[in-house]
Amino acid sequence: MQLWTAAHAKTLPPALLAMIVIGVVLRLTIGKKDLKIRMIPLQIVAVLLVVLEIGKQYVSFKNGYDLYHIPLHYCSLFIFAVPAMAFYTGKGYEKVRAIGAGFCGAMATLLLIYPDLIYGAGNIENFFKGYLDMHTVAFHNLVLFAFVLIVALDLHTPTGNREQRYPIFATVGFCVISATAANILKVNYASFYECNIAPLEAIRVAVQNLAGYVAAQIFYVCIVAILTVLYTWGAYWLYRLLHKFTVIKTPVLK
């Protein structure tokens, strides 16, 4: 199990540094503006994410369509969560922003800990050679940038401990939909069909041989779902810790 490759080491730290620098500059220039102004950079990122995904779907349809490209992966959540956080201002907008902050925090943390699980060295090397490789790298880095913006520009103010329910409920809903589709279509959405980590996949197969396919698969799906929920919950609290130290002392307007 390789967390980082040489390609990730050469590209991800400089990209993160550039994102942080941009975040600091934006904080110094618009950090004390009202929320509508501070939200503009995230809105730009949200539009880019949607455009990139539309391009991915077009390329996939053009090539005969791969069911793996149906947006049922954990990463697919950002096609919806980031635009919702960036643009939605109606009833319950705090819940929407809590979910967005939690999800972006989860992706940012995983990308910095285990980037090779998110996209491979081959995707980086072929960045300028194929749209799908470019999409994979650019999409996930944009989500990382979205989290930098959320923290740097104080785009969500936690409203109390009860707020943690919203990322949890949203993740549970995602797990139900993704796991069901993965096992019906036999496509590995969010690792709900098989494990992308080789040592753990070997254990899953061994358990299947002992307990039978159905029982072992149900057990495996439940474990992945629980870990996904716990991970998102932990990332949400990491975001709250960062917010505590980076909060901007300015009124937050809807």
Side-chain angles (χ1 to χ4, degrees):
M1 185 174 72
Q2 187 177 17
L3 302 182
W4 284 67
T5 68
H8 290 97
K10 291 177 182 178
T11 57
L12 188 51
L16 176 60
L17 178 60
M19 294 174 197
I20 292 173
V21 169
I22 294 171
V24 171
V25 171
L26 289 172
R27 184 182 180 93
L28 293 174
T29 54
I30 65 172
K32 292 189 176 181
K33 302 290 185 180
D34 78 43
L35 188 57
K36 290 182 180 179
I37 301 299
R38 303 201 315 271
M39 196 65 78
I40 291 174
L42 186 67
Q43 291 172 343
I44 294 172
V45 170
V47 170
L48 290 174
L49 288 173
V50 173
V51 169
L52 281 171
E53 183 62 22
I54 291 172
K56 172 186 169 182
Q57 296 300 323
Y58 170 77
V59 170
S60 188
F61 273 113
K62 187 177 178 181
N63 294 332
Y65 203 75
D66 185 344
L67 292 178
Y68 190 75
H69 292 153
I70 296 175
L72 291 170
H73 303 274
Y74 189 87
C75 301
S76 303
L77 289 169
F78 303 104
I79 305 168
F80 313 103
V82 176
M85 183 178 185
F87 291 102
Y88 181 70
T89 58
K91 183 179 180 180
Y93 70 93
E94 302 98 334
K95 301 174 185 178
V96 171
R97 291 174 190 168
I99 293 169
F103 283 163
C104 288
M107 177 52 60
T109 305
L110 187 58
L111 184 57
L112 296 178
I113 294 173
Y114 194 174
D116 195 42
L117 183 65
I118 306 302
Y119 57 81
N123 298 125
I124 299 171
E125 293 163 1
N126 294 315
F127 184 85
F128 295 105
K129 298 179 182 179
Y131 182 86
L132 295 180
D133 290 299
M134 182 278 292
H135 171 277
T136 299
V137 177
F139 185 91
H140 294 96
N141 277 268
L142 278 172
V143 174
L144 176 60
F145 186 41
F147 185 65
V148 171
L149 292 174
I150 291 168
V151 174
L153 296 176
D154 192 12
L155 299 182
H156 168 65
T157 300
T159 56
N161 291 343
R162 290 170 59 87
E163 185 182 86
Q164 65 184 304
R165 297 176 300 169
Y166 308 127
I168 291 173
F169 292 162
T171 307
V172 169
F174 161 75
C175 289
V176 171
I177 296 170
S178 182
T180 301
N183 285 276
I184 290 175
L185 299 176
K186 300 187 183 304
V187 178
N188 199 31
Y189 304 120
S191 292
F192 278 117
Y193 186 62
E194 58 187 15
C195 188
N196 289 326
I197 303 173
L200 298 181
E201 173 62 9
I203 295 173
R204 184 187 73 85
V205 173
V207 172
Q208 280 188 359
N209 293 334
L210 291 173
Y213 178 83
V214 174
Q217 194 67 5
I218 291 174
F219 177 74
Y220 169 74
V221 166
C222 289
I223 292 297
V224 173
I226 291 169
L227 291 176
T228 302
V229 171
L230 289 176
Y231 182 75
T232 303
W233 177 69
Y236 165 78
W237 280 101
L238 173 61
Y239 158 71
R240 288 192 62 150
L241 179 64
L242 289 173
H243 179 271
K244 181 178 179 180
F245 293 104
T246 60
V247 60
I248 296 173
K249 302 298 183 179
T250 187
V252 178
L253 303 178
K254 197 169 89 170

